[in-house]
Amino acid sequence: MLVVVTGGSGSGKSVYAEKLLAKLANTRKEQTEQNIYLATMKPFGSEGQERIARHRKQRQEYGFLTVEQYTQIEKAQIPAGKTANVLLECMSNLVANEMFDNSNSRSAEQIVRDITGGIEKLYEHCCHLVIVTNEVFSDGNDYDGETKNYIRCLGKINQYLADIADSVVEVVYSIPVKIKGGL
C-alpha cells in the first residue's frame, strides 16, 4: 500500500505517518518485515540537529531502522522482496536536496522525472510505503524565482504521488482528513 501524508508545518503529519505505518505493519505480522524510516533531512546547524533528535525519540517505540538518503532515493538500502515497510520523511527535503545540490545541473523537469522514477523503484521493494510531504502552496507569499521553481517541482511530484497512491491524507491540527482512498 502506498500512502501520502501531507499537511502544513507543525500539523502533526509526522506523528500520524509513524503511527499509520506501525499500524499497517502490524496487520501483516510477517517476521521478516522491517520498519524503515527513510530520512531525507540533511542535519544543518543546531536547530536541524535538534529536530532530528526529536524525531528519533518520537519514533523509538515503533522499532524503525533509520536509513539516511538525502538524494537519489532509489539508491536507499532497502531489503529486496517487498519485506520492508518504509516511511519516507520527507518529500519536501528530498526535492530541496535534489534541486539545490551544488553539483546539480539538471533541469527542473529532469529532477521531477528522477524523483518520481526513484519513488517507483523504491516502492518495488516495499510492502507498505508512507510518504510525508508538505503543503506549501497556499500561504500567498511572493517568492523569488528559485523558490517558485521549487514549489512548482514539489507540486508536480505531489500530484504524481496523489495519482499513484492508494490513499492520501491531509493532517490538519493533528486531525487526519482523508482525501483519497481508505485506511
Side-chain angles (χ1 to χ4, degrees):
M1 173 175 266
L2 174 60
V3 180
V4 176
V5 177
T6 188
S9 178
S11 65
K13 63 188 173 291
S14 295
V15 171
Y16 174 79
E18 291 162 6
K19 289 178 181 178
L20 174 63
L21 188 69
K23 179 181 172 184
L24 291 171
N26 285 338
T27 63
R28 298 222 350 129
K29 301 286 186 201
E30 299 277 335
Q31 294 296 324
T32 58
E33 287 184 9
Q34 193 169 30
N35 292 343
I36 297 173
Y37 184 97
L38 189 51
T40 63
M41 182 179 167
K42 289 184 180 181
F44 290 119
S46 61
E47 186 177 313
Q49 294 287 353
E50 289 171 13
R51 187 172 187 179
I52 289 169
R54 186 177 67 245
H55 277 212
R56 283 182 187 228
K57 184 177 180 184
Q58 176 180 301
R59 65 179 182 263
Q60 268 180 333
E61 68 185 272
Y62 300 114
F64 284 105
L65 169 67
T66 299
V67 174
E68 295 179 7
Q69 189 73 36
Y70 308 127
T71 60
Q72 299 177 326
I73 203 72
E74 70 279 2
K75 293 184 178 181
Q77 297 298 307
I78 306 297
K82 288 201 173 276
T83 60
N85 300 302
V86 177
L87 171 58
L88 190 158
E89 171 86 34
C90 90
M91 185 54 60
S92 306
N93 288 327
L94 178 63
V95 173
N97 295 342
E98 292 281 3
M99 290 187 76
F100 302 117
D101 179 15
N102 292 334
S103 64
N104 180 31
S105 61
R106 297 170 293 164
S107 69
E109 292 77 20
Q110 185 61 51
I111 290 170
V112 169
R113 283 192 299 272
D114 289 348
I115 291 174
T116 56
I119 293 297
E120 289 174 7
K121 289 178 182 169
L122 173 66
Y123 189 42
E124 290 173 4
H125 300 290
C126 299
C127 179
H128 298 294
L129 175 59
V130 175
I131 299 174
V132 175
T133 190
N134 280 306
E135 198 295 302
V136 296
F137 313 101
S138 60
D139 64 7
N141 289 335
D142 189 27
Y143 294 107
D144 63 49
E146 277 190 335
T147 304
K148 286 179 181 177
N149 196 31
Y150 164 79
I151 290 171
R152 276 192 295 275
C153 285
L154 182 59
K156 288 177 184 177
I157 292 166
N158 284 350
Q159 288 175 28
Y160 164 81
L161 292 173
D163 184 51
I164 67 168
D166 299 298
S167 184
V168 178
V169 177
E170 180 178 12
V171 179
V172 182
Y173 306 120
S174 77
I175 300 168
V177 179
K178 292 178 180 142
I179 306 296
K180 175 185 176 183
L183 296 172

